[in-house]
Structure formats: C-alpha cells, structure tokens
Amino acid sequence: MDQPLAAIILAAGLGTRMRSDRAKVLHELAGEPMIGRVLRAVATLNPHPLVVVVGHQADQVRDVAHRAVGPRDLRCAPQSEQRGTGDAARCALTEIPETFAGDVLIGYGDMPRIDPGTLRAFIDDHHGRGADLSFISVELDVPAAYGRVVRDAVGAVAAIVEARDATPAQLAFKEINTGIYLVGAALLRTALAQIRNDNAQREFYLTDIVAIARAHGRRVFAWRAHDDAEFAGINSREDLARMETQIREEVNRRLMAAGVTLIDPATAYIAPEVEIGRDTIIGPNVRILGRTRIGASVVIEGTAWLRDVTIGDRCQLKICVRAEDCVIGEESEIGPFANLRAGTELEGHNRIGNFVETKKARIGRGSKASHLSYLGDAVIGRETNVGCGVITVNYDGYDKHVTRIGDRCMVGCDTQLIAPVKVGDDVYVASGTTIVRDVEDGALVMSHHPQREKAGWTANWHRRHAGHPKARSDSGNGAAD
Ligand code: UD1
Ligand code: CA
C-alpha cells in the first residue's frame, strides 16, 4: 500500500428515518456514537487527510470525531444543505489538496461495524487488479433499500442503481452496494463534476460515479465481501437495536470463551473495546463501556454502570456501582450503592462502601470510606479510615478546593473538612469536627461545643404544651403524624 491514501466519511445527513432531532451518526451503538466507531476503523489506515463531511449538528459531530481519532490529520468539511451523497463527497474535496494524486477511500458514517482488516484487504485487492475505481458489494437474500449492483452482458459492473430508481428487474438483483469506495483522486474529481440529480430523490448520488467511470472507459470493480453484517447501514432505530444485539452477543461469546463468567448474558451490555480477565464473574444488569479494563478474578455482583474504568485483580463490586473514568486498584471492595466519579484513583485494597461518592479523589492503599461520605477533590494517604458521614467541603460557589489527609488517620464520623485544608499523618479527628485549618501530624483535633445537660427538661417541655392539639395523653404516648 505505497499509494498515498485520503479518506472521506459522509456524516452530514439528519437521517430522516430515525425520526430524531439528533443527527443519525450521533446515535450511540454499544455506548459510543456510531460516527466514532466508523472513524476509528478508518483511522487505522492512516489516511492523510481524513475528511468528515458535517452538516446536521456539525459541532457535536466534530467533537465526537476528534475524540475518536485523537490528534491526526482530521478535517471537517461542511455541507450546508443535504443534497445527496455525491454532493457531500464534492464538499469533502475542498479539504483534499488539488495536488493530491493518491487514492481516496469513501465511506458512510452510518456503517459502524466496518472492520479495518476488511478495508485493508479491499484496498490491496484494488491495487492488485490495477483498478481505477472499486467498491465493496455483498449479496443479500433481502436486498431491501440498498443500491443494486447492475452488471453488463459479460458480468462487469456497469452501474449502481438506487432501489427507488430501480426497474422491477433490477430490484430483484441481490448484489448490493455497501457504500465503501476506493478511487483515484483525479478520477473522483472528474466523476463528481459530472453527477446530476435527475433521479427519484432529486439528489446527487455518489453511486453515479460508477457508471461515469465506466463511460470514461476506466477499470471498475466490485469487491465481494462475505460477511454482510459488517456492512449493515443504520437507517432506523430498529436497525440500531438489531446491531446492538448482534454486537452484544458477539462480545459476550468472545468473553465467555476467554474465561469470563456472565451470569446472564442477555443483560450484560459490554462494549467491544472492553477487556476482562479470566475467572471474573459479571452479574446481571450491567453496562460496561468505553475503554474499561477489568482484571482477573473480579466479582461484579450486578446492576453496574462502568465507563472508562480500570479495575485491578480480585476486586469486588457489590450491587449497584456507578463508576466513570477512574482507577480501582486490586483487591478493593466497592459498594453496594457507590458512585465513583471521574478522577477517582484508588491505589488498592480500598473499601468504598454504601452511599459514598468520590470525585477527583486519590486514595492511598488500604484506606477506607465505608459509609455515607462525599470525597471530592481529595488526596488521602494510606491506611486512613474515613468515618461515616465525612464530607469534603470543596466548593465555595466559584472554585473547587483540595482537601489533603495523610496516612493512618482516623477521621471521625460526621466530620466536615472545609477546603483548602490539610490534615497531617496519624491524626485523630474527633467525630462531628469541622476542620477549617491545617492539622499537624499526630494531633487529636476536635471542634466540639461542650456538652450541656438540663435535667428534667423533656417533661417540662410537654407540660408547657398541655392543651396543644398534639399534646400527649396521660399515658405519655405522643400522637405522631
Ligand atoms: C446509500 C447508497 C446506497 C447504499 C447504502 C449502503 C447513495 C445514493 N446510496 O444509501 O447505494 O446501498 O448507502 O448503506 O449513496 N449524507 C451526507 N449528505 C447528504 C446525504 C447523506 O453527508 O446529503 C451521509 C449521511 O449522513 C449518511 C451517508 O451519507 O451517513 C449515507 O446516506 P444515507 O441517506 O443513509 O444513504 P442510503 O439511502 O442508505
Ligand atoms: Ca444508509
């Protein structure tokens, strides 16, 4: 593959058949907008440039595109009015230098299962045959609304005809256009300049470049693929749901074959990118998304939502854990009902118990927060125990501030730490303390009001309310409501 390669992905359409206010390519498949999946596959071929044609919700599509492929030669070409796939490809040409003399790979943003290996094989075949224009076709028992491949008397590709423009005889053809093309840049420019919109949809069809190239006497081939699932285009919510199910079943099969127990594969929604180690047990009702990596012999009891989380070996996630963009070190015990937000880093052997929320919290090895706490913008050392109801008061209405707690501390229940503040090593914080100033190593700190007591106060209180509608009867039982 010495020939320089550019790529164009069309993603400007709204996708009328989705019946959505959201651009079709932004709809998610296995937890990621479908355009992100397409672009990551194409980016592995290293095209320069990689052009995305954007129109509907251009800014969001652009953001997703950048996130998906990172810092490479990605360019967005606007298509102001969606006048068809041919018009969209024309818009993309503005981002490909006139001097570019290589091949252009063109694909659609609504075919999220496309595989890089297939694209590579397709490109090699194009070069092997000395083709001027190739596209990938596939044979379908139910060719539905796909463009039909029309061949001439000797079986050579003559044209692609859209289903809506096809004659009944053409509609019966089973070989369809998947929507992936490879064509020399010069031929592409010439052909796109010649397409017209005299068809059923009054659109400029990219597919017309096939007949135009033939008319110019160029070498045109259809590369027949065998696995049709890979090329399915998403046009409706039903298509989307079907593909989601296919992906899930495939991922689950692969994981189980690799030694992962899925207690109920029907309710395990695991993205294809996720890695899970041997002897890990995944309970029912889980979504595991993004670049999540789960170690070996981990137990996830069930009902969990995890995205971009790294989980060390032998961790246990009890029922109901939500975790995003965080690291959970080995042999930690999380939940039930824990919320680990972005930037949480647990070094290992930690315990984060029920109704504990963490955010941007770096917590050292062996430290615990077992009940009812908020730990945000916190740095906590090793072997420290955070008692029930401890709160880092990190927000002053304008800025977030950091709380630091050292090693081997005992932070008593119901402590508030007013950040920015630092508690040293080996500190004992008495329960109910409000920490407003730094605390030195080894200290006991408390901010208790002295306890006062008034003997007999309660009886006196009730006596003063005799005659009140809620007054207690003689037996002393209150009428609570
Ligand atoms: C297209 C092909 C059809 C093929 C099928 C494969 C054409 C004319 N038809 O049909 O032969 O079998 O894909 O899935 O190309 N888009 C734009 N701007 C536009 C119109 C579309 O950027 O003006 C983008 C859409 O966002 C979408 C892609 O192009 O990602 C394909 O458009 P879509 O309307 O889905 O084409 P199909 O009717 O599926
Ligand atoms: Ca489509």
Side-chain angles (χ1 to χ4, degrees):
M1 230 203 293
D2 323 309
Q3 190 76 334
L5 182 74
I8 299 174
I9 299 299
L10 309 185
L14 174 64
T16 322
R17 290 164 280 181
M18 294 295 282
R19 306 256 183 278
S20 175
D21 294 334
R22 190 150 47 126
K24 176 169 70 178
V25 297
L26 292 174
H27 281 261
E28 288 189 0
L29 185 74
E32 185 182 358
M34 58 176 112
I35 184 67
R37 297 195 168 278
V38 175
L39 290 174
R40 272 196 289 118
V42 173
T44 58
L45 304 168
N46 265 316
H48 287 286
L50 167 52
V51 185
V52 185
V53 182
V54 295
H56 281 282
Q57 289 163 352
D59 291 342
Q60 279 120 293
V61 174
R62 192 175 286 126
D63 287 351
V64 170
H66 279 284
R67 232 177 298 135
V69 304
R72 57 174 73 232
D73 191 4
L74 177 73
R75 307 193 192 168
C76 291
Q79 184 194 26
S80 50
E81 201 188 324
Q82 279 62 62
R83 301 192 301 161
T85 50
D87 179 68
R90 263 194 308 233
C91 294
L93 287 183
T94 58
E95 291 296 332
I96 298 178
E98 292 276 358
T99 51
F100 178 82
D103 290 323
V104 184
L105 179 80
I106 310 175
Y108 299 150
D110 68 347
M111 37 184 358
R113 291 204 71 188
I114 183 70
D115 177 75
T118 305
L119 293 176
R120 231 170 264 129
F122 166 59
I123 293 171
D124 289 347
D125 179 77
H126 173 90
H127 292 139
R129 295 202 219 203
D132 296 312
L133 188 161
S134 303
F135 62 95
I136 304 182
S137 73
V138 73
E139 211 153 295
L140 294 183
D141 287 338
V142 184
Y146 289 104
R148 306 297 200 265
V149 178
V150 178
R151 290 177 179 268
D152 64 17
V154 296
V157 172
I160 297 170
V161 178
E162 288 308 287
R164 283 196 243 184
D165 299 290
T167 64
Q170 291 169 334
L171 269 184
F173 295 169
K174 298 205 157 152
E175 189 187 3
I176 62 99
N177 167 36
T178 64
I180 294 166
Y181 317 79
L182 188 66
V183 50
L187 174 58
L188 179 63
R189 284 184 194 278
T190 311
L192 284 178
Q194 291 178 22
I195 56 175
R196 298 202 309 269
N197 66 346
D198 50 353
N199 52 51
Q201 302 186 75
R202 315 299 310 161
E203 283 187 359
F204 294 92
Y205 292 160
L206 175 59
T207 44
D208 286 353
I209 62 173
V210 169
I212 293 170
R214 273 300 304 267
H216 283 262
R218 309 302 289 266
R219 292 166 60 79
V220 178
F221 293 103
W223 185 77
R224 284 213 205 193
H226 297 293
D227 175 17
D228 55 49
E230 196 184 319
F231 305 100
I234 301 289
N235 295 309
S236 65
R237 308 228 187 205
E238 200 181 327
D239 291 342
L240 192 63
R242 191 179 306 120
M243 194 176 281
E244 184 85 41
T245 305
Q246 283 169 3
I247 292 181
R248 190 172 82 233
E249 288 173 354
E250 216 176 274
V251 168
N252 289 350
R253 263 201 305 274
R254 172 168 55 75
L255 289 171
M256 289 187 282
V260 177
T261 294
L262 301 179
I263 290 177
D264 180 13
T267 63
Y269 301 79
I270 304 172
E273 297 72 28
V274 171
E275 292 166 29
I276 306 181
R278 272 167 83 108
D279 288 320
T280 283
I281 299 173
I282 310 273
N285 293 319
V286 293
R287 289 197 84 192
I288 307 179
L289 304 171
R291 285 174 196 98
T292 296
R293 291 206 315 274
I294 301 176
S297 301
V298 169
V299 176
I300 297 181
E301 286 183 350
T303 308
W305 188 98
L306 312 173
R307 186 197 288 279
D308 297 333
V309 182
T310 302
I311 301 177
D313 295 343
R314 295 175 299 283
C315 283
Q316 193 181 1
L317 270 62
K318 298 185 171 174
I319 196 94
C320 293
V321 172
R322 190 187 197 283
E324 183 163 23
D325 199 4
C326 61
V327 179
I328 299 172
E330 54 171 17
E331 297 192 29
S332 293
E333 198 183 305
I334 314 295
F337 303 99
N339 184 12
L340 275 52
R341 294 168 52 202
T344 296
E345 282 175 41
L346 309 181
E347 197 180 351
H349 295 265
N350 298 100
R351 163 138 181 72
I352 300 293
N354 40 204
F355 307 107
V356 174
E357 174 182 347
T358 61
K359 185 216 71 171
K360 278 195 192 157
R362 244 174 39 231
I363 301 181
R365 197 177 166 83
S367 290
K368 300 185 174 99
S370 298
H371 337 263
L372 298 160
S373 283
Y374 172 64
L375 303 173
D377 301 290
V379 181
I380 299 175
R382 295 181 165 180
E383 306 296 337
T384 279
N385 189 71
V386 175
C388 177
V390 169
I391 291 176
T392 56
V393 183
N394 60 333
Y395 186 45
D396 61 14
Y398 291 97
D399 298 305
K400 302 282 169 66
H401 302 281
V402 175
T403 298
R404 289 170 198 281
I405 302 174
D407 298 338
R408 298 172 302 277
C409 293
M410 284 294 292
V411 183
C413 296
D414 191 28
T415 292
Q416 304 108 56
L417 300 112
I418 315 292
V421 76
K422 180 174 179 233
V423 173
D425 295 335
D426 302 294
V427 168
Y428 265 63
V429 180
S431 60
T433 297
T434 301
I435 296 193
V436 294
R437 282 188 305 277
D438 291 358
V439 181
E440 66 183 35
D441 293 351
L444 167 67
V445 57
M446 63 184 91
S447 62
H448 291 157
H449 297 290
Q451 181 170 325
R452 296 188 302 158
E453 205 173 309
K454 293 190 176 180
W457 183 91
T458 308
N460 192 25
W461 174 249
H462 291 314
R463 227 173 287 123
R464 274 167 49 198
H465 287 85
H468 188 282
K470 291 184 177 172
R472 294 181 162 209
S473 66
D474 289 345
S475 68
N477 290 325
D481 55 356

